[in-house]
Amino acid sequence: MQKPVFAANWKMHNGPQETRAYLQRFLAAYPEDPSRTVIFFPPAVSLAIAGFALRERPEILVGVQNVYWEEKGAFTGETSAPMARDAGAKVALVGHSERRQYFGDTDEVTARKCAAACKAGLIPMLCVGERLDERERNATQAVVLRQFKTGVSRLEPSQIANMVIAYEPVWAIGTGRTARPEDATAVHTAIRRSLREMIGPKAAEVPILYGGSVNAENAAELLAAPEIDGLLVGGASLDPETWVRIVRA
Ligand code: PEP
C-alpha cells in the first residue's frame, strides 16, 4: 500500500513573505511523518522561498502550479518546466480546471505540458474532472477518460507509471460541494482500469487523488474510500493549522 499524498494548491495566494510565514507555522505544527507525502504548490514567484524554507524537510515536496511547454524563448509571462525545477519544484500541476476554464488550456495543451514536465524531470500531477452539466448528462466517465487519455498521450509508459492523477469534479472546486466518496471511487476505478490497459500492473502504483472542497471534517471519510490515494486541496490548505489537520486525517 503506497503512502497517501496530500497536495496543497495555493492558487494565487501567498507571495514570498507570506509563504515564509506560512511554512514556519506549518513546520512548527507538523513533525516529520514518514507515513505520508506532502506537496505544496505555491505561486511560481514563491517556489524558491518555499524550497528554502523546507530545506531541512526533504520529505515535503514543492510543485509548480503550471508550466509552459517550451524550455525558453519569447513567451512573456510564462514559466518553463526546467526553470521551475531550477527554482526547487519536483512536481508540476497540469490541466487544473482553472487553467482549462480561464486560460484556455485544452486537452492537447495539457498533454504538451505533461510531456514538458516529464522531460524536465518533474512529476506531472494531471488534473481531470467533469463540469456540472457533463455530470447531469451522465458524461462524467467519458469526459474524465478523454481528458486523461489525451493528457498522457505524449508520455512513455515509464513516465505514466511515475505520474500522479487528480480527479477534481469542476462543480466541487471551491463550492463547498464534495463528491460522495462512492462517486469519486467510481471515477477513480475507471481511471485505474484505463491506466492498467496502458501500463499493466504498475497502474496500482500511480496515486489517484481526489480534490474538490476537501476540508478537515470530510478528509478522513474521502481518504478511507477505495481507490482514493490522497487529496488535492485548495481553500482549506491556506490555513497552516487546518492543513496539518487534513494531512493527519
Ligand atoms: C483545487 O484548487 O484544486 C481545489 C480542489 O480547490 P478547493 O479545495 O478549494 O475546492
Side-chain angles (χ1 to χ4, degrees), residues 16 28 47 65-66 89 97 107 114 118 126 144 159 168 193-194 198 211 213 226 249:
L47 277 175
Q65 293 176 14
N66 176 44
S97 73
D107 292 341
C114 264
C118 285
L126 171 64
V144 166
Q159 295 171 321
E168 299 204 300
R193 201 177 305 124
S194 182
M198 292 174 191
S213 294

Side-chain angles (χ1 to χ4, degrees), residues 9 11 93 96-98 127 168 172-177 210-214 232-237:
N9 174 20
K11 315 190 188 208
L93 209 55
H96 190 279
S97 73
E98 286 152 20
C127 301
E168 299 204 300
I173 297 181
T175 59
R177 288 183 66 191
Y210 168 78
S213 294
V214 173
L232 175 55
V233 183
S237 72

Side-chain angles (χ1 to χ4, degrees), residues 14 21 34 45 60 89 91 95 110 118 131-132 173 181 191 201 205 213 217 223 238-239 242:
N14 292 338
V45 293
I60 302 176
V91 189
T110 301
C118 285
R131 298 189 312 260
L132 186 58
I173 297 181
I191 296 171
E205 292 161 30
S213 294
E217 280 66 48
L223 259 187
L238 291 175
D239 173 68
T242 305

Side-chain angles (χ1 to χ4, degrees), residues 10-24 42-53:
W10 286 353
K11 315 190 188 208
M12 202 169 71
H13 297 279
N14 292 338
Q17 304 308 331
E18 291 161 313
T19 293
R20 194 200 333 256
Y22 177 110
L23 290 174
Q24 252 169 15
V45 293
S46 302
L47 277 175
I49 204 143
F52 185 74

Side-chain angles (χ1 to χ4, degrees), residues 42-190:
V45 293
S46 302
L47 277 175
I49 204 143
F52 185 74
L54 295 167
R55 66 195 177 285
E56 283 167 13
R57 297 288 293 273
E59 87 283 7
I60 302 176
L61 305 181
V62 174
V64 63
Q65 293 176 14
N66 176 44
V67 291
Y68 192 61
W69 59 82
E70 295 288 350
E71 291 183 3
K72 58 174 73 172
F75 303 104
T76 302
E78 294 294 321
T79 304
S80 75
M83 289 171 186
R85 191 176 154 112
D86 188 25
K90 300 273 193 305
V91 189
L93 209 55
V94 277
H96 190 279
S97 73
E98 286 152 20
R99 296 295 319 171
R100 295 177 191 264
Q101 186 179 350
Y102 303 130
F103 303 100
D105 284 16
T106 60
D107 292 341
E108 181 52 31
V109 160
T110 301
R112 284 171 180 261
K113 292 182 173 188
C114 264
C118 285
K119 187 170 175 217
L122 299 173
I123 298 167
M125 184 182 289
L126 171 64
C127 301
V128 294
E130 82 286 4
R131 298 189 312 260
L132 186 58
D133 61 304
E134 292 165 334
R135 170 157 287 262
E136 284 173 347
R137 61 182 154 81
N138 288 325
T140 297
Q141 292 203 7
V143 168
V144 166
L145 292 178
R146 186 204 72 221
Q147 292 173 336
F148 168 63
K149 287 178 185 170
T150 312
V152 301
S153 59
R154 290 169 177 260
L155 304 189
E156 300 293 330
S158 62
Q159 295 171 321
I160 296 174
N162 278 310
M163 70 186 299
V164 180
I165 297 156
Y167 167 54
E168 299 204 300
V170 179
W171 49 269
I173 297 181
T175 59
R177 288 183 66 191
T178 313
R180 291 186 306 174
E182 59 269 35
D183 290 339
T185 292
V187 177
H188 286 218
T189 303

